[in-house]
Amino acid sequence: MGTEGSHEPLIISTKEDNSFGYIKKPSFLLKSTKWVLKIAMWLIFISWASFLFLLPSDPVNNLYKKFVTATNGTLFGVTGSIFLIYSGPVIIIAFHAIIYLKITEGEEIQEKKEKTASFRLWTYPVIIDGPFGVVTAAELIGIVLFGVYIIWAVTAYTITNISLLPLFQVTDAGKRYVILLELTGLRLGFIGLICLAFLFLPVARGSVLLRLIDIPFEHAARYHVWLGHLTMLLFTLHGLFYVIGWAIQGRLIQELIAWKSIGIANLPGVISLVAGLLMWVTSLPPVRRINFELFFYTHQLYVVFIVFLAMHVGDFIFSIVAAGIFLFMLDRFLRFFQSRKTVDILSAKCLPSGTVELVISKPPGLRYNALGWVFIQIRELSWLQWHPFSVSSSPLDGDNHLAVLIKVLGDWTEKLKGRISSVTGDKSVTDSLLQPNFALKASIEGPYGHESPYFLTYENLILVAGGIGISPFLAILSDILHRIRESKPGLPRNILIVWAVKNSDELPLLHSLDINSICPHFYNVLNLEFQTYVTRESEPPLEEGKIPSYASSSKFPAPVGGGMSSLVGTGHTIWSGAYMVVSTIGLVLLVAYLNIFYINPYNITHWWYKGLLFMVCMAASVILFGGFVIVLWHLWDIKTATNVEKNSTISGLGHDESNGYKNPSQEGFVNVIKYGKRPNFEDIFGNMAERWGNVDIGVMVCGPTALQTSIAKECRSKNFKRTSNEPIFHFNSHTFDL
């Protein structure tokens, strides 16, 4: 197939299909319900965010105080009022999101492909080399809004603090300075709590909120990092201002170890801050990159940080941040249950390029996208280490398994490679195939990723990969080919894959996808071109063109209860929604019973103790009420899996049924391999701009940070210099870098 021009699609279908990600035309009632839910969620969010932003102003602050005072006599008291104002909107939006996700599940992608190019804030890179990495226009707006809020809040509270000084009736300048320091520290602590209210939302991997806005966990983790730095800076200044004030007054030690019954308990705050500082320091890039395990293990101190924070501020102040922490607890408890189940690894291969492929059993109903992620733990290698890997197979390759490609780079991956080699008895490792009955087991969390296959919203794609970064793009290509074979409408028509590798022994990875086997006549619909760059070799090796062969078996055997667990936030909308709703109801009931039968009758007034009890109620609601739903979900999962096993058999991975590498025909697409060169993205993007014209081009990159930066710069440059007849390049990064 030639590389010039583009073919019109010859395969067009108008039939309805309920397969994942495609057509299920909703009724008018469902459409109306969806819009009502969307409008309601936006109104709640805007009202909540506006309240938080305007709270430092006197009018809003006075209204807030009046509301709290008016509801103080209720069963839940001040704690209930503050929880309703600060955390209630987040929970209510999450409830709406469950219904919305269920309604839109399996719907056709709503973002239609336009005939002419148009800008999108979330794919337009603006800042490239700043402290935040590659920042899109939408992310920049969020950063600016947070920055404006911090400046506005600090300014407003400083003015308020100065106006309050006469109330203390202190004439000594030194004492007035100390009072101002402590008031400023108090305000900084409150602003830190507002940031903390958002901090845990991005790291609830299967959260309905992330699914609602279609931000995958690997992207949301960046926002957690940004918020973490800001939150810890504010909390550090909060503590520092108090320490300076106490030191000036000569009562530093007494205050640091003070544990008041009524009011703020200082010592729990010190413990919480120390735990937070340890997490913060070890998360800084110089420490994290040198010793990732130190960062990972130290980060488990978040439990100490949160528990002692609750004891430091008491229940009613802690309820400001309760929603985000509660949603994270729900996700963490569910992940704990999913990871308890060991999973059958159907096959494992060590490839010549120093890459391991694992094919993992999964239940048919566990849905994911071609750009999904899973977290893998292999207890024979380590009881503590979890590693994220991109799924290299399409969900259309088969219902009962998924595949991941793992580059051997560190100690854990070296152990995995050695383990596979030891089972097969092949010491060379390079040509080993692990038979399906081997003793290696894995624990899995996930899959996670985009809620919808967003790559299908582009008619024109440029996929840029570095080394093992080709893995998710193999999944994308397989997914598109399957959809072409099934006559799906609205698919990409032009795809350019640019792949940079260090050595030619990585090239066989491309042949793991037998394109012509999946869809022999795809070239009638799709223009596909590969450009491969081997950067450390100046000429082809003598063995070029020879694809290594492996022992083969025609089919993978059915696992015996060893598939992945579907107990994951992204696994089943109804069950995961019921888990959250029942747990929330449980929290309300437990707090109510605690007030009725313990706190009020026994006149419990200790702030730190009530904060601890509130945390216990949160944990108990997740464990008891949420655990009850998890048990029912698990039983339903077993029954469903049993019914499926009776009516189906498990076949091999669609792109590699023989369990070994094939030498696929090159018919239907261009594959150019260049040695001793790096890709010139300015020329590549320029050629595509001339060829495709005034269209949207989805640019996806998976690889090292330097590669992402280069692609983002080129997208920004081309978009800034764009004329009316040229395309807009939409930057999308697919990488997981903590």
Side-chain angles (χ1 to χ4, degrees):
M1 180 186 70
T3 59
E4 299 284 336
S6 61
H7 296 293
E8 292 294 329
L10 299 181
I11 302 176
I12 300 177
S13 173
T14 58
K15 66 180 181 180
E16 291 193 5
D17 189 336
N18 292 339
S19 60
F20 176 69
Y22 256 85
I23 302 175
K24 183 180 72 175
K25 295 182 180 179
S27 65
F28 174 77
L29 178 61
L30 287 180
K31 285 183 178 179
S32 302
T33 305
K34 184 178 72 172
W35 278 104
V36 169
L37 288 169
K38 186 180 289 187
I39 292 171
M41 288 186 289
W42 270 113
L43 287 176
I44 295 170
F45 174 75
I46 291 173
S47 301
W48 177 65
S50 299
F51 163 75
L52 295 180
F53 191 89
L54 297 174
L55 184 60
S57 65
D58 289 335
V60 175
N61 191 38
N62 291 333
L63 285 174
Y64 163 66
K65 290 178 179 178
K66 288 180 181 179
F67 175 81
V68 172
T69 303
T71 57
N72 189 23
T74 62
L75 172 63
F76 298 99
V78 176
T79 302
S81 302
I82 295 178
F83 183 91
L84 184 63
I85 293 172
Y86 289 95
S87 295
V90 178
I91 301 296
I92 294 171
I93 291 174
F95 284 1
H96 284 73
I98 297 167
I99 305 172
Y100 183 86
L101 289 170
K102 185 58 185 175
I103 290 175
T104 57
E105 195 173 80
E107 233 181 59
E108 181 183 7
I109 293 175
Q110 295 298 309
E111 190 170 358
K112 304 297 181 183
K113 301 178 181 68
E114 303 292 341
K115 293 183 178 179
T116 57
S118 58
F119 289 104
R120 302 172 192 172
L121 293 176
W122 54 92
T123 60
Y124 194 97
V126 178
I127 300 176
I128 308 297
D129 296 319
F132 299 101
V134 177
V135 177
T136 65
E139 292 171 336
L140 181 61
I141 292 173
I143 293 171
V144 169
L145 289 176
F146 255 97
V148 169
Y149 167 73
I150 298 298
I151 295 172
W152 146 250
V154 170
T155 303
Y157 283 136
T158 300
I159 294 173
T160 301
N161 291 341
I162 294 174
S163 67
L164 290 175
L165 284 178
L167 299 178
F168 291 90
Q169 299 180 350
V170 175
T171 57
D172 183 75
K175 291 182 178 180
R176 289 169 62 89
Y177 175 71
V178 170
I179 292 173
L180 186 60
L181 268 179
E182 292 186 355
L183 287 175
T184 304
L186 176 66
R187 302 298 191 180
L188 288 173
F190 177 77
I191 299 172
L193 286 175
I194 299 300
C195 294
L196 184 62
F198 293 89
L199 181 63
F200 282 86
L201 295 175
V203 287
R205 299 176 188 172
S207 167
V208 292
L209 296 181
L210 293 184
R211 295 175 60 195
L212 175 68
I213 56 181
D214 201 11
I215 295 181
F217 171 61
E218 68 270 17
H219 288 184
R222 295 203 317 154
Y223 310 146
H224 172 76
V225 172
W226 300 347
L227 285 167
H229 290 315
L230 178 59
T231 302
M232 285 311 306
L233 175 62
L234 290 167
F235 281 159
T236 302
L237 292 175
H238 161 72
L240 183 62
F241 278 33
Y242 272 102
V243 166
I244 293 174
W246 294 335
I248 291 174
Q249 298 175 77
R251 52 191 180 96
L252 176 61
I253 302 299
Q254 299 96 308
E255 290 290 350
L256 286 177
I257 62 175
W259 196 311
K260 298 178 183 177
S261 298
I262 306 298
I264 300 296
N266 293 342
L267 183 56
V270 172
I271 296 172
S272 177
L273 182 59
V274 170
L277 288 173
L278 286 173
M279 289 190 291
W280 190 23
V281 170
T282 55
S283 69
L284 296 174
V287 179
R288 187 180 72 245
R289 289 169 185 166
I290 294 173
N291 195 333
F292 181 84
E293 289 190 3
L294 177 63
F295 153 74
F296 177 79
Y297 298 139
T298 308
H299 235 61
Q300 308 313 307
L301 289 172
Y302 73 85
V303 178
V304 176
F305 174 76
I306 291 301
V307 171
F308 280 90
L309 174 66
M311 298 167 69
H312 172 57
V313 299
D315 58 332
F316 67 93
I317 298 178
F318 184 76
S319 61
I320 294 174
V321 301
I325 295 172
F326 185 65
L327 292 177
F328 172 78
M329 291 171 66
L330 287 169
D331 179 77
R332 187 65 191 87
F333 189 63
L334 191 59
R335 287 193 283 121
F336 171 80
F337 267 92
Q338 188 192 28
S339 63
R340 292 311 91 195
K341 183 178 182 181
T342 55
V343 179
D344 286 327
I345 296 179
L346 298 179
S347 72
K349 289 180 293 195
C350 291
L351 311 180
S353 57
T355 302
V356 173
E357 182 188 58
L358 302 180
V359 179
I360 302 167
S361 172
K362 83 169 190 68
L366 187 58
R367 54 195 289 272
Y368 70 98
N369 272 311
L371 287 173
W373 289 85
V374 292
F375 286 75
I376 299 179
Q377 177 207 49
I378 298 179
R379 292 171 188 172
E380 287 88 346
L381 307 182
S382 172
W383 276 85
L384 296 176
Q385 293 188 42
W386 287 84
H387 296 270
F389 298 105
S390 180
V391 177
S392 61
S393 60
S394 161
L396 300 178
D397 283 330
D399 290 334
N400 303 90
H401 45 256
L402 56 80
V404 294
L405 290 172
I406 301 172
K407 185 70 174 178
V408 178
L409 293 173
D411 293 339
W412 188 88
T413 50
E414 285 285 357
K415 290 179 183 178
L416 175 62
K417 183 178 178 181
R419 175 66 175 162
I420 295 172
S421 175
S422 67
V423 173
T424 60
D426 185 350
K427 302 304 180 183
S428 67
V429 184
T430 57
D431 292 325
S432 62
L433 172 68
L434 191 58
Q435 296 302 325
N437 60 352
F438 71 102
L440 194 61
K441 296 281 187 177
S443 297
I444 306 292
E445 290 182 2
Y448 306 105
H450 282 274
E451 182 66 14
S452 61
Y454 75 91
F455 55 88
L456 298 179
T457 64
Y458 300 104
E459 283 194 358
N460 310 279
L461 286 170
I462 298 178
L463 310 179
V464 183
I468 196 62
I470 194 66
S471 173
F473 298 153
L474 295 177
I476 286 179
L477 188 54
S478 175
D479 198 74
I480 292 172
L481 292 171
H482 278 290
R483 293 175 187 273
I484 292 174
R485 186 180 66 185
E486 296 173 10
S487 302
K488 304 289 188 182
L491 296 172
R493 297 195 306 172
N494 302 291
I495 300 179
L496 169 65
I497 299 179
V498 181
W499 186 28
V501 297
K502 295 178 180 179
N503 302 298
S504 57
D505 60 3
E506 297 185 55
L507 296 179
L509 284 176
L510 194 59
H511 297 288
S512 64
L513 181 66
D514 193 344
I515 295 175
N516 290 288
S517 174
I518 297 175
C519 187
H521 303 292
F522 71 90
Y523 46 81
N524 291 326
V525 181
L526 176 68
N527 295 318
L528 178 61
E529 181 180 349
F530 289 87
Q531 292 185 17
T532 305
Y533 295 81
V534 184
T535 59
R536 292 188 179 179
E537 295 179 6
S538 58
E539 57 185 17
L542 296 177
E543 305 84 12
E544 186 185 27
K546 294 182 180 180
I547 307 300
S549 60
Y550 298 90
S552 63
S553 60
S554 58
K555 299 205 175 199
F556 296 114
V560 183
M564 292 170 57
S565 170
S566 61
L567 298 177
V568 60
T570 57
H572 194 282
T573 303
I574 294 296
W575 279 112
S576 60
Y579 169 62
M580 187 187 74
V581 171
V582 172
S583 298
T584 305
I585 294 173
L587 174 60
V588 175
L589 292 176
L590 287 176
V591 173
Y593 288 147
L594 189 68
N595 284 325
I596 293 172
F597 297 107
Y598 183 61
I599 291 179
N600 294 335
Y602 293 94
N603 194 28
I604 304 298
T605 57
H606 293 10
W607 284 25
W608 70 267
Y609 185 48
K610 292 175 70 175
L612 179 61
L613 290 176
F614 191 80
M615 274 298 305
V616 171
C617 287
M618 291 174 64
S621 64
V622 173
I623 295 171
L624 299 178
F625 290 83
F628 174 72
V629 177
I630 289 175
V631 170
L632 296 179
W633 186 356
H634 178 63
L635 294 175
W636 176 86
D637 194 28
I638 293 175
K639 183 178 179 180
T640 303
T642 302
N643 292 335
V644 170
E645 286 177 8
K646 290 179 180 178
N647 299 315
S648 65
T649 58
I650 297 180
S651 61
L653 195 64
H655 71 267
D656 191 10
E657 292 181 355
S658 67
N659 238 3
Y661 276 73
K662 300 184 176 116
N663 190 355
S665 166
Q666 300 298 310
E667 179 186 0
F669 63 90
V670 175
N671 186 7
V672 177
I673 303 177
K674 300 180 181 180
Y675 290 85
K677 298 177 63 176
R678 296 182 180 274
N680 186 325
F681 293 112
E682 182 178 1
D683 291 344
I684 292 172
F685 281 42
N687 291 335
M688 294 303 106
E690 293 178 5
R691 184 184 302 179
W692 293 342
N694 182 16
V695 295
D696 290 308
I697 298 179
V699 180
M700 302 176 62
V701 57
C702 183
T705 302
L707 180 63
Q708 297 176 55
T709 301
S710 298
I711 299 301
K713 283 182 178 178
E714 196 56 43
C715 288
R716 184 181 64 176
S717 175
K718 286 289 188 290
N719 291 339
F720 280 170
K721 300 175 182 177
R722 174 181 179 265
T723 62
S724 58
N725 294 322
E726 292 180 332
I728 294 176
F729 294 89
H730 298 272
F731 175 79
N732 298 274
S733 174
H734 182 74
T735 186
F736 197 99
D737 184 21
L738 285 178

